């Protein structure tokens, strides 16, 4: 009798079918569970949202009069510098019927074109704010409707949190249902901040145009709709850039009004930007500190994305980078050493190398009299301070070393500098000459830098290329618009004092560029909001060995060249470069020690802002980089560095030791040595022959260093107001006894 055999194991095929069937069953189960979970969460979310909405009550409006003033402190975090708010509850409400329709439409065009169609919120804007917050940013990102802005400004605080944003959204929806669109728009127009201490459209109309709101033109309405985006960025009274911003934004609003059918093409064509504004002098921004407080305000808006209402009413406590002792030292140096002529303006800035902190800055004597900052907004020809960037480019190319020798004869003629349209034969032939016609023999780049020899550096830039000099300047930190012309080596580009302080700080930091900044810390009244501590933004842009050679060359002007006054009086190692622009229209000394970089720029302007020569002045004679700028710089740096460690510069690396420069261009023989005054040929406007580079302005004159003669110390003077119309002081003061310099 045979025994029954046990059943064999299931085949692989049947096993796979069983497993797959079980997997599908489990998958359907999990899918069902997942769907039910999502549905449950959705129901809970809707329920929670409904409860939150029901419990959200419209609060009493904030009292503008009780708003907290924002305060700026010096770097110690204790000493008050100034206050950011310029308002005292300045608001007058008017009915919507009194506000012109084009004013209403301008606001809609700029802020919320779907205002009459939406339910008070912008889903895309909300999503963007949440996404930014999830990534770690502040819950303040835009896309806010007019209703949301009204809710935030009138009912809520300026907290930068998701909780506040959520309340804003719920309140916006609720108010959109409780009030008509016209009521919301009326309330918005009467509560929004327009700058100049003005809350509401009626007060703003008076603050900017001295008229009732009902009398506003279309163009004026477009401007007021623009300025609410950030008064410090759009008020023309605060500077040329603000005026340009306002024109651009106003144009956008007017075009949007046309696109939405709110304005005809002919009305748009007639709506030209207003040419007359009420003269505005901020109540809270006065004296030299006014420029610093305004810089802080701009940085809060541009870098830290705070709006004007946050700043004006938010009760911020802002710690700046400005060190009060250094600021006092700077103002004292300017007061005691500046020229006495009324129309001489000047700017000065001091930066920590490798960090970018602005530790002292002079933008003028009184912000209330002249709000344009001489250190950050006024632009002057760089003069020979630009030669340093050509030196950087030359050493970077590998074709030159500090030992490279070039011809310092004067004058010399270069086809690359020729201008066929020049008024003089010399200009048409491309003449470049040294200051006073001083002619030198062959000189290496160290000595040529020390003596600021125009003809050598003109030849050098022809070989290097103006484009590479421009790049070196930009890499170092010059943010002004530059041109790639070979003539830029002689300082034809217009730059700011802060530009040059930042660029020279990069050299002092051995090639580490640090973005300049003035806000060190932002504290909020709400203790639940973490303070913002600013970290320097740095980048390595130049090799250390390259910088050590550049620094070495820059010690030559100080040790025995065009800035020898500095070397004779500072009492520690320093490096720098003088600069005197074409026809004495600007004069500079920019320099540094390892731990501090400072730039000084002087200029002279007429009643309409035109450039004037600082030549043969009654009290000051010829103002060159080696005279007043060098004296001011030295007086400040000596005081600011008192008690600090004397640090040494790195030893030169002597890169490109084997570089053997051979000129690839030819220059015509130089003429006889002369002692004539600097050339005043105007910058050419014509194009050069096809075989030459773009035409260049007439080269910057450079003074020949001479041994200073003993001259009495100038008597202290009262500084001017920074606008070329300052208070005179020290009448009859002799010109500084310093080597005139480049």
């Amino acid at each position: 009798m045979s025994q029954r055999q046990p059943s064999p194991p299931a085949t692989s095929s049947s096993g796979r079918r069983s497993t797959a069937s079980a997997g599908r069953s489990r998958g359907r189960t999990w899918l069902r569970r997942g769907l039910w979970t999502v549905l449950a969460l959705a129901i809970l979310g809707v329920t929670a949202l409904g409860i939150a909405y029901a419990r959200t009550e419209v609060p009493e409006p904030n009292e503008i009069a009780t708003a907290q003033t924002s305060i700026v402190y010096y770097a110690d975090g204790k000493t008050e510098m100034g206050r950011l708010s310029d308002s005292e509850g300045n608001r007058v409400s008017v009915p919507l019927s009194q506000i012109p329709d084009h004013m209403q439409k301008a606001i809609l065009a700029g802020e919320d074109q779907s205002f009459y169609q939406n339910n008070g919120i912008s889903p895309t804007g909300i999503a963007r704010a949440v996404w930014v917050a999830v990534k770690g940013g502040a819950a303040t990102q835009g896309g806010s409707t007019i209703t949301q802005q009204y809710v935030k400004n009138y009912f809520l605080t300026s907290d930068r949190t998701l909780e506040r944003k959520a309340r804003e959204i719920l309140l916006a929806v609720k108010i959109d249902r409780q009030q008509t669109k016209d009521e919301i728009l009326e309330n918005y127009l009467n509560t929004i901040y327009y700058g100049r201490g003005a809350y509401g459209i009626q007060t703003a109309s008076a603050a900017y145009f001295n008229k009732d709101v009902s009398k506003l033109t279309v163009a004026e309405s477009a401007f007021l709709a623009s300025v609410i985006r950030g008064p410090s960025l759009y008020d023309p009274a605060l500077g040329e850039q603000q005026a340009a911003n306002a024109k651009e934004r106003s144009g956008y609003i007017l075009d949007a009004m046309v696109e939405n059918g709110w304005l005809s093409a002919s009305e748009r064509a007639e709506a030209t930007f207003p040419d007359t504004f009420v003269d505005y002098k901020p109540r809270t921004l006065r004296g030299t500190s006014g420029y610093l407080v305004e810089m802080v305000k701009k940085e809060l808006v541009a870098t830290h994305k705070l709006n004007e209402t946050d700043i004006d009413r938010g009760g911020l406590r802002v710690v700046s980078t400005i060190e009060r002792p250094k600021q006092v030292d700077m103002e004292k140096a300017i007061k005691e050493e500046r020229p006495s002529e009324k129309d001489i303006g000047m700017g000065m800035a001091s930066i920590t190398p490798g960090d970018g902190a602005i530790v002292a800055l002079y933008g003028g004597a009184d912000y209330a009299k002249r709000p344009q900052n001489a250190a950050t907004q006024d632009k002057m020809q760089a003069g020979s301070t630009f030669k340093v960037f050509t030196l950087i480019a030359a050493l970077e190319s590998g074709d030159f070393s500090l030992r490279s020798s070039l011809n310092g004869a004067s004058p010399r003629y270069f086809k690359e500098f020729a201008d066929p349209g020049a008024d003089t034969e010399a200009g048409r032939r491309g003449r470049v000459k040294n200051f006073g016609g001083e002619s030198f023999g062959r000189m290496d780049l160290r000595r040529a830098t020390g003596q600021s020899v125009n003809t050598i550096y003109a030849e050098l830039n022809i070989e290097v290329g103006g484009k590479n000099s421009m790049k070196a300047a930009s890499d170092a930190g010059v943010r002004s618009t530059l041109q790639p012309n070979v003539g830029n080596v002689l300082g034809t580009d217009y730059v700011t004092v802060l530009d040059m302080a930042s660029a020279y700080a990069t050299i002092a930091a051995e090639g580490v560029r640090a973005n300049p900044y003035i806000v060190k810390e932002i504290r909020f009244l709400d203790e639940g909001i973490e303070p913002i501590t600013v970290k320097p933004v740095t980048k390595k842009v130049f090799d250390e060995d390259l910088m050590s050679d550049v620094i070495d060359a820059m010690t030559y002007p100080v040790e025995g060249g065009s800035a020898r006054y500095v070397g004779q009086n500072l009492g520690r190692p320093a490096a720098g470069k003088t600069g005197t622009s074409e026809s004495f229209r600007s004069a500079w000394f920019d320099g540094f020690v390892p731990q501090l970089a400072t730039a000084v720029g002087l200029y002279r302007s007429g009643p309409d802002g035109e450039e004037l020569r600082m030549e043969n002045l009654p009290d000051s004679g010829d103002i060159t980089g080696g005279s007043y700028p060098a004296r001011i710089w030295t007086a400040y740096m000596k005081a600011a560095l008192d008690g600090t460690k004397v640090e040494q510069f790195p030893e030169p690396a002597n890169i490109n030791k084997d570089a053997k420069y051979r000129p690839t261009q030819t220059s015509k023989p130089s003429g006889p040595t002369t002692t004539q005054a600097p050339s005043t040929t105007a910058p050419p406007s014509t194009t050069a022959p096809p075989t030459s580079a773009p035409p260049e302005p007439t080269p910057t004159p450079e003074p020949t260093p001479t041994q200073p003669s003993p001259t009495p110390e100038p008597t202290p003077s009262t500084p001017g107001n920074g606008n070329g119309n300052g208070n005179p002081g020290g009448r009859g003061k002799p010109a500084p006894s310093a080597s005139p310099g480049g």
Side-chain angles (χ1 to χ4, degrees):
M1 178 175 167
S2 62
Q3 294 182 341
R4 186 178 178 183
Q5 301 295 317
S7 301
T11 65
S12 60
S13 176
S14 63
R16 285 194 295 271
R17 286 196 296 272
S18 297
T19 303
S21 178
R24 284 195 295 274
S25 179
R26 288 193 296 270
R28 286 193 294 270
T29 300
W30 281 108
L31 179 61
R32 286 194 297 271
R33 291 177 180 176
L35 290 173
W36 280 110
T37 300
V38 171
L39 181 60
L41 290 173
I43 293 172
L44 288 172
V46 172
T47 302
L49 186 63
I51 294 172
Y53 179 84
R55 291 182 176 179
T56 300
E57 297 182 358
V58 178
E60 292 296 317
N62 285 326
E63 294 292 335
I64 294 176
T66 63
Q68 295 288 328
T69 299
S70 296
I71 302 173
V72 179
Y73 297 95
Y74 286 98
D76 62 7
K78 300 177 181 179
T79 307
E80 183 175 327
M81 176 190 293
R83 304 206 169 198
L84 289 164
S85 303
D86 192 32
S87 65
E88 299 173 354
N90 187 17
R91 180 164 66 89
V92 177
S93 295
V94 293
L96 192 64
S97 59
Q98 190 174 329
I99 302 172
D101 183 68
H102 54 71
M103 180 69 247
Q104 300 176 38
K105 295 301 192 295
I107 286 288
L108 299 184
E111 298 300 312
D112 188 358
Q113 296 180 25
S114 66
F115 170 72
Y116 280 98
Q117 290 77 46
N118 64 46
N119 63 353
I121 61 175
S122 167
T124 56
I126 294 169
R128 184 161 56 249
V130 172
W131 174 245
V132 171
V134 169
K135 292 195 306 180
T140 61
Q141 294 301 302
S144 295
T145 64
I146 280 178
T147 308
Q148 287 177 258
Q149 294 180 49
Y150 163 58
V151 165
K152 176 188 173 184
N153 294 330
Y154 204 52
F155 297 102
L156 300 177
T157 67
S158 299
D159 297 347
R160 298 158 60 89
T161 62
L162 275 176
E163 181 182 357
R164 203 274 305 150
K165 192 72 175 179
R167 287 197 69 208
E168 172 192 306
I169 293 168
L170 291 173
L171 279 172
V173 174
K174 202 157 196 171
I175 286 178
D176 190 74
R177 294 187 176 185
Q178 292 181 354
Q179 300 180 13
T180 67
K181 289 291 188 180
D182 283 353
E183 288 174 334
I184 293 172
L185 183 60
E186 177 180 303
N187 290 333
Y188 175 82
L189 287 166
N190 282 313
T191 57
I192 198 70
Y193 183 55
Y194 293 82
R196 302 193 173 189
Y199 288 90
I201 188 64
Q202 176 75 316
T203 312
S205 181
Y208 286 94
F209 302 111
N210 195 29
K211 61 172 62 176
D212 187 86
V213 64
S214 62
K215 306 297 184 182
L216 288 173
T217 67
V218 172
E220 292 167 345
S221 295
F223 166 77
L224 291 175
S226 301
V227 79
I228 63 173
R229 300 274 294 198
S232 65
L233 301 177
Y234 293 90
D235 187 348
L238 301 180
E240 295 179 359
Q241 185 58 58
Q242 285 86 343
N245 293 342
K247 288 180 181 179
E248 182 179 1
R249 180 67 182 172
S250 293
Y252 165 81
I253 288 173
L254 291 168
D255 291 340
M257 291 174 68
V258 174
E259 292 173 4
N260 283 276
W262 299 332
L263 194 70
S264 69
S266 60
E267 290 172 324
R268 167 68 177 92
E270 294 174 359
T272 58
F273 190 77
D275 55 7
T276 303
F277 292 86
V278 172
D279 185 28
Y280 173 59
K281 296 182 174 75
R283 293 189 294 266
T284 61
L285 301 180
R286 299 183 179 278
T288 57
S289 63
Y291 300 95
L292 305 175
V293 174
E294 182 63 21
M295 287 177 65
V296 167
K297 189 173 185 177
K298 288 181 179 179
E299 195 162 298
L300 291 173
V301 173
T303 303
H304 301 287
K305 310 304 179 184
L306 294 172
N307 62 46
E308 299 281 342
T309 302
D310 294 333
I311 297 169
D312 194 62
R313 295 169 50 197
L316 305 177
R317 300 296 182 261
V318 184
V319 182
S320 75
T321 60
I322 300 296
E323 299 178 16
R324 178 161 175 75
K326 288 185 173 64
Q327 185 67 27
V328 172
D329 291 336
M330 180 175 285
E331 293 175 16
K332 182 180 180 183
I334 291 170
K335 180 180 180 179
E336 294 181 353
E337 302 291 348
R338 67 173 298 152
S340 60
E341 279 76 11
K342 295 180 181 181
D343 53 2
I344 301 293
M346 67 170 298
M348 191 168 179
S350 195
I351 291 178
T352 302
D355 181 280
I358 303 170
V359 298
L361 183 139
Y362 182 85
D366 190 354
Y367 183 92
K369 294 181 179 180
R370 186 189 187 250
Q372 182 155 310
N373 192 319
T376 65
Q377 295 176 293
D378 289 350
K379 292 187 176 182
M380 299 166 269
Q381 283 190 322
S384 287
T385 61
F386 208 91
K387 287 186 171 101
V388 172
F389 306 124
T390 298
L391 178 62
I392 292 173
L395 296 179
E396 274 193 314
S397 73
D399 296 330
F400 296 88
S401 73
L402 292 180
R403 298 179 180 179
S404 295
S405 177
L406 290 85
N407 182 8
S410 177
R412 295 180 65 190
Y413 295 83
F414 303 93
K415 64 180 182 181
E416 291 82 1
F417 283 83
D419 173 24
D423 295 332
T424 64
E425 176 65 20
R428 292 188 290 272
R429 293 173 59 196
R431 184 186 69 179
V432 176
K433 66 189 186 75
N434 301 325
F435 186 83
E438 181 76 10
S439 191
F440 302 91
R442 297 194 68 85
M443 302 178 69
D444 64 29
L445 291 180
R446 285 189 178 96
R447 294 176 59 212
T449 303
Q451 307 292 354
S452 198
V453 183
N454 286 343
T455 55
I456 286 179
Y457 265 94
E459 179 180 347
L460 186 65
N461 208 33
I462 290 171
E463 296 299 320
V464 170
K467 182 178 181 180
N468 290 320
S469 292
M470 180 187 74
K471 182 179 183 301
S474 180
D475 288 345
V478 177
R479 294 290 173 261
S480 298
T481 302
L482 304 174
Q483 301 299 323
N485 300 325
V486 294
N488 60 18
V489 67
L490 301 179
T492 57
D493 284 320
Y494 285 79
V495 296
T496 68
V497 166
L498 187 60
D499 276 341
M500 300 307 293
S502 176
Y504 275 46
T506 299
I507 302 171
E510 300 180 46
V512 177
R513 184 184 70 211
N515 293 350
Y517 67 101
I518 195 170
V519 174
K520 183 166 69 172
E521 185 181 28
I522 307 170
R523 305 169 186 165
F524 301 89
L525 289 183
D526 187 341
E527 296 181 355
I529 304 176
E530 288 292 323
I532 298 173
T533 301
V534 177
K535 296 181 179 179
V537 179
T538 63
K539 182 180 181 180
K540 185 72 171 178
V541 292
F542 299 122
D543 179 75
E544 291 180 9
D545 287 346
L546 167 67
M547 290 292 97
S548 70
D549 282 4
V550 172
I551 292 172
D552 182 54
M554 292 177 69
T555 64
Y556 275 61
V558 172
E559 292 175 355
S562 58
R564 65 182 64 175
Y565 178 88
V566 176
Q568 293 171 346
N569 293 276
L570 184 62
R572 64 175 65 210
K577 187 70 185 73
T578 55
T580 309
S581 69
E582 199 266 334
S583 299
F584 297 93
R585 286 183 170 87
S586 63
W588 297 79
F589 183 74
D590 306 338
F592 53 84
V593 298
Q595 61 267 58
L596 192 63
T598 302
V600 183
L602 274 69
Y603 61 92
R604 182 175 176 232
S605 57
D608 298 323
E610 68 272 23
E611 293 179 289
L612 301 177
R613 298 184 182 186
M614 295 185 292
E615 183 181 26
N616 297 320
L617 300 179
D619 297 333
S620 306
D622 297 346
I623 296 180
T624 64
S627 60
Y628 286 97
R631 291 186 75 103
I632 294 169
W633 189 95
T634 303
Y636 160 70
M637 292 288 281
K638 191 169 184 177
L641 296 168
D642 185 39
T644 64
K645 181 182 178 182
V646 176
E647 296 186 9
Q648 304 296 322
F649 291 122
E651 291 294 323
N654 293 312
I655 63 175
N656 310 328
K657 294 179 181 179
D658 299 325
K660 296 181 179 178
Y661 166 62
R662 294 290 184 269
T664 59
Q665 61 82 40
T666 58
S667 63
K668 296 182 180 180
S670 61
T673 300
T674 65
T675 57
Q676 64 190 84
S679 172
T680 59
T681 304
S685 58
T686 59
T687 57
T691 57
S692 66
E696 309 302 329
T698 301
T700 304
E702 295 295 337
T704 304
T706 58
Q707 185 65 33
S709 58
T711 305
E713 291 291 324
T715 57
S717 62
T718 303
N721 62 20
N723 66 350
N725 295 300
N727 301 321
R731 302 297 294 178
K733 181 173 62 176
S737 60
S739 304

